Amino acid sequence: MSTQARGGLTGPHDLGDGLGAAGGDEPVISLRGVSHSYGAVRALVDVDLDVHAREVVAVVGDNGAGKSTLVNVMSGVLVPDAGEVVVEGRETQLRSPGVARQLGIATVFQDLALCEDLDVVENLFLGQELRRGPLLDEVAMEREAWRLLSQLAARVPSVRVPVGDLSGGQRQAVAIARALLGEPRVLVLDEPTAALGVTQTAEVLRLVERVRDRGYGVVLVSHTMPDVQAVADRVVVLRRGRLNGDFDADRTSYEEIIAAITGASPARRPRRQEDA
Amino acid sequence: MSTRAGGGPEVSTDRSTTVPGGVRGVGGAGRAAPGGSSRGADARAWAGAPWRERELGSLPVVGALVVLALVFQAFNSNFLSSDNLVNLTLQSATTGVITLGVVLVLLVGQIDLSVGAVSGLAAAVVAVGFVQEGWPLWAAVLAAVALGAAVGAGYGWLFTRLGVPSFVITLAGLLVCVGLQVRVLGATGSINLPYESWLVRFSQQVFLAPATAYALAALVAVGYGVTRWTGRRRRLAAELSAPGLVSIAVRTGLLAAALLLVTWYLNQNRGIGAMFAFFLLLVGMTDLLLRRTRWGRSVRAVGSNVVSARRAGYAVRRVYMSCFMACTALAALGGVLSAGRLAAANQGTGGSDTNLTAIAAAVIGGTSLFGGRGSAWSAVLGAFVIHSISSGLTLLNLDASIRYIVTGVVLALAVTIDALSRRRATAVR
């Protein structure tokens, strides 16, 4: 499957003229010094986050660590007290969901925001239907839907079944395909596997890899460590609203990440294990 | 929004790797699911059914209609006589216009309990305006429909701005409209419309000339065939699965045969009433709006999941507002037509069972009470079912009590089917 995806691949950084070609390390989108408080509660404190093309960044953390706040900031739903986003070297503010989308950040929320009674094509183009004169252009939309879904190698029985009849994994695929329709640079996935069984989780993780292989940057917000370890290239740990580690997923052990999440220092962690 | 202009990731895949080759041949050959997965068989099952044909849809209602017709015919051979059927079409038209509005409100997941009262008020306004005040008839009709729309705008405002549940607002509206109706009618409480006015003639006496009726029937069938055929060509050009030529020809032929047969049978008696034709035209237009325009899509999206619809960027408040207004305007129009049909407006117009009949017809016709699912044609089917029951029972000399009970049971059945299918859909989740 992934070989197919690679076959037809040219990523956004290739089109972004030199951005990726000049230095593969250049992030497509960076958050700089993002802070936000809900009254006295400091949900995010001076958080930096770089997202590169063709990379899955996992954001992990305990409950209340600030993951959802970060998602809301990136999607433009929440305007932070301080901090900005750097896109193609320019600093801007994510003032609204529309601005975030324009800057190329597409977010798939945990509830997926699908309409169960509408079919796959209708959901993909929800609110941005293609028209031909005054009428909807069903043919163009259906063709585009097949194309998007086949890129993701998503298994959907038909693009004309109501989304309510699809499995959780298939819905996730539809939601991701819809996010990609807006031609984003970065895809933010909020707990995409939270409500899924084993098979469907694997399906969604393959989907995440495929999205990355197509050249997008992916921010995967999750608290399921096995999922994170399966797909992430980089793991960013949030703890009480602050960054508490930025790990290379391949060279970091499960224990180190857990230690960063819980706040036990990585150095102490192995000793405690020996004690036990 | 344009399709994938530059800027974003290039997405044109090497299709031959992802889509099994040779699938879009002649005659509706199936297109397998993307990725060449094992769902090919499923995909083939859907092929040739571009859209709207996947659901059970209106099949249960049509089945129920056939059963009703056979049962009543067995008891009284007059039931399927062309005379009775012509009456049935005329009765269905007035209820149906009101039901059409109810369908719109149900589609956004709301309800309007005041449609009967609004129709009664509209009838009163037409009668008083035309007969007592001496307005031109068209002005009176226009005023009545505009008043209906204004009532809906009030509901929409209360609902979208203040968040009052629609069934409470419309229940309040029902009382207000009944009060206004009595007020407007004044002391006499009943006003007759002159038989020679065009409203009465239109809703009672004008029937399509046989030639016109046949021509229209043929035109509809040809139009259907041409639409399907051009649709097929566009789908094939876009490399999508498309219905086969044979299937299109057969469907068009069946439709033409059915339409011509019905026209011929009704023409044995008075024929197709102008009011009934008008009703069908309204339904056809609403159906087009619902299925093929952005507004229609937004209506179904809002009814299915408001939060998702809002996130998708639809103007949710305006969608609600348009549906409430369309509903009450159509209810008013239905009231005007029923005033024409009875050649009178009185305190009973739009009273008693009009309200519940119209709402029940929408649900029986297959529009979900829970929003998001339904079709304009459910107004036609539902109205037919309700009036078949009442006409059949009348022919059997059974009184209104039985009619209420039977209609109630049928409504309960329809709502049960609706709720069950809803539960099955959520269980899959």
Side-chain angles (χ1 to χ4, degrees), chain B residues 133-162:
Chain B
E133 305 293 324
W135 301 347
L137 186 50
W138 61 266
V141 170
L142 211 64
V145 174
L147 180 64
V151 171
Y155 295 161
W157 187 81
L158 283 169
F159 178 76
T160 57
R161 297 287 158 173
L162 305 181

Short mmCIF file of all heavy atoms in Angstrom, two decimals, chain B residues 133-162:
data_model
loop_
_atom_site.label_atom_id
_atom_site.label_comp_id
_atom_site.label_asym_id
_atom_site.label_seq_id
_atom_site.Cartn_x
_atom_site.Cartn_y
_atom_site.Cartn_z
N GLU B 133 -63.24 42.88 2.02
CA GLU B 133 -62.49 44.11 1.82
C GLU B 133 -62.38 44.49 0.34
O GLU B 133 -61.94 45.59 0.02
CB GLU B 133 -61.08 43.98 2.41
CG GLU B 133 -61.06 43.57 3.87
CD GLU B 133 -61.64 44.66 4.77
OE1 GLU B 133 -61.43 45.85 4.46
OE2 GLU B 133 -62.31 44.30 5.77
N GLY B 134 -62.68 43.56 -0.53
CA GLY B 134 -62.68 43.86 -1.95
C GLY B 134 -61.30 43.96 -2.57
O GLY B 134 -61.10 44.57 -3.61
N TRP B 135 -60.28 43.32 -1.92
CA TRP B 135 -58.96 43.29 -2.54
C TRP B 135 -59.03 42.44 -3.80
O TRP B 135 -59.88 41.56 -3.92
CB TRP B 135 -57.91 42.66 -1.62
CG TRP B 135 -57.73 43.36 -0.30
CD1 TRP B 135 -58.20 44.57 0.05
CD2 TRP B 135 -57.04 42.83 0.83
NE1 TRP B 135 -57.82 44.85 1.33
CE2 TRP B 135 -57.12 43.82 1.84
CE3 TRP B 135 -56.36 41.63 1.09
CZ2 TRP B 135 -56.53 43.63 3.09
CZ3 TRP B 135 -55.78 41.45 2.32
CH2 TRP B 135 -55.86 42.44 3.32
N PRO B 136 -58.10 42.69 -4.74
CA PRO B 136 -57.99 41.73 -5.84
C PRO B 136 -57.59 40.37 -5.28
O PRO B 136 -56.87 40.31 -4.27
CB PRO B 136 -56.88 42.30 -6.71
CG PRO B 136 -56.48 43.58 -6.11
CD PRO B 136 -57.16 43.78 -4.82
N LEU B 137 -58.05 39.31 -5.93
CA LEU B 137 -57.82 37.97 -5.36
C LEU B 137 -56.33 37.66 -5.23
O LEU B 137 -55.88 37.11 -4.24
CB LEU B 137 -58.51 36.92 -6.23
CG LEU B 137 -58.47 35.49 -5.69
CD1 LEU B 137 -58.92 35.43 -4.24
CD2 LEU B 137 -59.33 34.56 -6.53
N TRP B 138 -55.56 38.07 -6.28
CA TRP B 138 -54.13 37.74 -6.21
C TRP B 138 -53.47 38.43 -5.02
O TRP B 138 -52.62 37.86 -4.36
CB TRP B 138 -53.41 38.11 -7.50
CG TRP B 138 -53.47 39.58 -7.86
CD1 TRP B 138 -54.37 40.19 -8.67
CD2 TRP B 138 -52.59 40.60 -7.39
NE1 TRP B 138 -54.12 41.53 -8.74
CE2 TRP B 138 -53.02 41.81 -7.97
CE3 TRP B 138 -51.47 40.62 -6.55
CZ2 TRP B 138 -52.39 43.03 -7.73
CZ3 TRP B 138 -50.84 41.84 -6.32
CH2 TRP B 138 -51.30 43.03 -6.90
N ALA B 139 -53.94 39.66 -4.73
CA ALA B 139 -53.36 40.38 -3.59
C ALA B 139 -53.71 39.68 -2.29
O ALA B 139 -52.87 39.56 -1.38
CB ALA B 139 -53.86 41.81 -3.58
N ALA B 140 -54.95 39.20 -2.21
CA ALA B 140 -55.37 38.51 -0.99
C ALA B 140 -54.54 37.23 -0.79
O ALA B 140 -54.11 36.93 0.32
CB ALA B 140 -56.86 38.18 -1.08
N VAL B 141 -54.34 36.50 -1.91
CA VAL B 141 -53.56 35.25 -1.81
C VAL B 141 -52.14 35.58 -1.38
O VAL B 141 -51.56 34.96 -0.48
CB VAL B 141 -53.56 34.50 -3.16
CG1 VAL B 141 -52.57 33.37 -3.14
CG2 VAL B 141 -54.96 33.99 -3.47
N LEU B 142 -51.57 36.59 -2.02
CA LEU B 142 -50.20 36.99 -1.72
C LEU B 142 -50.08 37.42 -0.24
O LEU B 142 -49.14 37.03 0.46
CB LEU B 142 -49.80 38.15 -2.63
CG LEU B 142 -48.33 38.23 -2.99
CD1 LEU B 142 -47.94 37.00 -3.79
CD2 LEU B 142 -48.05 39.49 -3.79
N ALA B 143 -51.07 38.19 0.21
CA ALA B 143 -51.04 38.64 1.61
C ALA B 143 -51.08 37.45 2.55
O ALA B 143 -50.34 37.41 3.55
CB ALA B 143 -52.22 39.58 1.87
N ALA B 144 -51.91 36.46 2.22
CA ALA B 144 -52.05 35.29 3.11
C ALA B 144 -50.73 34.52 3.18
O ALA B 144 -50.27 34.16 4.27
CB ALA B 144 -53.16 34.38 2.58
N VAL B 145 -50.10 34.32 2.02
CA VAL B 145 -48.84 33.56 2.00
C VAL B 145 -47.74 34.36 2.70
O VAL B 145 -46.94 33.81 3.47
CB VAL B 145 -48.44 33.19 0.56
CG1 VAL B 145 -47.08 32.53 0.52
CG2 VAL B 145 -49.49 32.27 -0.06
N ALA B 146 -47.73 35.68 2.48
CA ALA B 146 -46.71 36.51 3.13
C ALA B 146 -46.90 36.48 4.63
O ALA B 146 -45.92 36.41 5.39
CB ALA B 146 -46.80 37.94 2.61
N LEU B 147 -48.16 36.52 5.07
CA LEU B 147 -48.42 36.44 6.51
C LEU B 147 -47.89 35.12 7.07
O LEU B 147 -47.26 35.09 8.14
CB LEU B 147 -49.93 36.56 6.76
CG LEU B 147 -50.34 36.49 8.23
CD1 LEU B 147 -49.77 37.67 8.99
CD2 LEU B 147 -51.86 36.45 8.37
N GLY B 148 -48.13 34.05 6.30
CA GLY B 148 -47.60 32.74 6.73
C GLY B 148 -46.09 32.79 6.88
O GLY B 148 -45.53 32.36 7.91
N ALA B 149 -45.41 33.35 5.88
CA ALA B 149 -43.95 33.42 5.94
C ALA B 149 -43.50 34.26 7.13
O ALA B 149 -42.51 33.94 7.80
CB ALA B 149 -43.40 34.01 4.64
N ALA B 150 -44.26 35.32 7.43
CA ALA B 150 -43.90 36.17 8.56
C ALA B 150 -43.99 35.40 9.87
O ALA B 150 -43.13 35.54 10.76
CB ALA B 150 -44.81 37.39 8.60
N VAL B 151 -45.04 34.58 9.99
CA VAL B 151 -45.16 33.75 11.20
C VAL B 151 -43.93 32.86 11.34
O VAL B 151 -43.32 32.74 12.41
CB VAL B 151 -46.45 32.90 11.14
CG1 VAL B 151 -46.47 31.88 12.27
CG2 VAL B 151 -47.68 33.78 11.20
N GLY B 152 -43.52 32.27 10.22
CA GLY B 152 -42.34 31.40 10.24
C GLY B 152 -41.08 32.16 10.62
O GLY B 152 -40.23 31.66 11.34
N ALA B 153 -40.99 33.40 10.14
CA ALA B 153 -39.83 34.22 10.48
C ALA B 153 -39.79 34.46 11.98
O ALA B 153 -38.71 34.43 12.60
CB ALA B 153 -39.89 35.54 9.73
N GLY B 154 -40.96 34.66 12.56
CA GLY B 154 -41.03 34.82 14.01
C GLY B 154 -40.53 33.58 14.73
O GLY B 154 -39.70 33.65 15.65
N TYR B 155 -41.00 32.40 14.29
CA TYR B 155 -40.52 31.15 14.88
C TYR B 155 -39.01 31.05 14.75
O TYR B 155 -38.31 30.70 15.70
CB TYR B 155 -41.12 29.93 14.17
CG TYR B 155 -42.61 29.76 14.29
CD1 TYR B 155 -43.30 28.95 13.39
CD2 TYR B 155 -43.32 30.36 15.32
CE1 TYR B 155 -44.66 28.78 13.49
CE2 TYR B 155 -44.69 30.19 15.42
CZ TYR B 155 -45.35 29.39 14.49
OH TYR B 155 -46.70 29.22 14.59
N GLY B 156 -38.53 31.33 13.54
CA GLY B 156 -37.11 31.20 13.28
C GLY B 156 -36.29 32.12 14.17
O GLY B 156 -35.26 31.73 14.71
N TRP B 157 -36.80 33.33 14.37
CA TRP B 157 -36.08 34.28 15.21
C TRP B 157 -36.02 33.78 16.65
O TRP B 157 -34.97 33.76 17.27
CB TRP B 157 -36.76 35.65 15.15
CG TRP B 157 -35.99 36.71 15.85
CD1 TRP B 157 -34.91 37.39 15.37
CD2 TRP B 157 -36.22 37.19 17.19
NE1 TRP B 157 -34.46 38.27 16.32
CE2 TRP B 157 -35.23 38.16 17.44
CE3 TRP B 157 -37.14 36.88 18.18
CZ2 TRP B 157 -35.16 38.84 18.66
CZ3 TRP B 157 -37.07 37.56 19.39
CH2 TRP B 157 -36.09 38.52 19.62
N LEU B 158 -37.19 33.36 17.17
CA LEU B 158 -37.22 32.87 18.55
C LEU B 158 -36.31 31.66 18.71
O LEU B 158 -35.63 31.50 19.72
CB LEU B 158 -38.66 32.48 18.93
CG LEU B 158 -39.59 33.63 19.26
CD1 LEU B 158 -41.02 33.15 19.37
CD2 LEU B 158 -39.16 34.25 20.59
N PHE B 159 -36.30 30.81 17.68
CA PHE B 159 -35.52 29.57 17.79
C PHE B 159 -34.02 29.83 17.69
O PHE B 159 -33.24 29.36 18.51
CB PHE B 159 -35.97 28.58 16.71
CG PHE B 159 -35.18 27.31 16.72
CD1 PHE B 159 -35.40 26.35 17.70
CD2 PHE B 159 -34.20 27.07 15.78
CE1 PHE B 159 -34.66 25.19 17.74
CE2 PHE B 159 -33.45 25.91 15.81
CZ PHE B 159 -33.69 24.97 16.79
N THR B 160 -33.62 30.60 16.66
CA THR B 160 -32.18 30.74 16.44
C THR B 160 -31.55 31.75 17.39
O THR B 160 -30.40 31.59 17.78
CB THR B 160 -31.88 31.18 15.00
OG1 THR B 160 -32.56 32.40 14.74
CG2 THR B 160 -32.31 30.15 14.00
N ARG B 161 -32.28 32.80 17.77
CA ARG B 161 -31.68 33.82 18.61
C ARG B 161 -31.84 33.51 20.08
O ARG B 161 -30.95 33.74 20.88
CB ARG B 161 -32.30 35.19 18.31
CG ARG B 161 -32.07 35.66 16.92
CD ARG B 161 -30.63 36.10 16.72
NE ARG B 161 -30.28 36.05 15.30
CZ ARG B 161 -29.13 36.50 14.83
NH1 ARG B 161 -28.22 37.01 15.62
NH2 ARG B 161 -28.88 36.41 13.55
N LEU B 162 -33.01 33.03 20.45
CA LEU B 162 -33.27 32.84 21.87
C LEU B 162 -33.21 31.37 22.28
O LEU B 162 -33.27 31.05 23.45
CB LEU B 162 -34.63 33.44 22.24
CG LEU B 162 -34.81 34.91 21.86
CD1 LEU B 162 -36.16 35.42 22.29
CD2 LEU B 162 -33.71 35.75 22.48
#
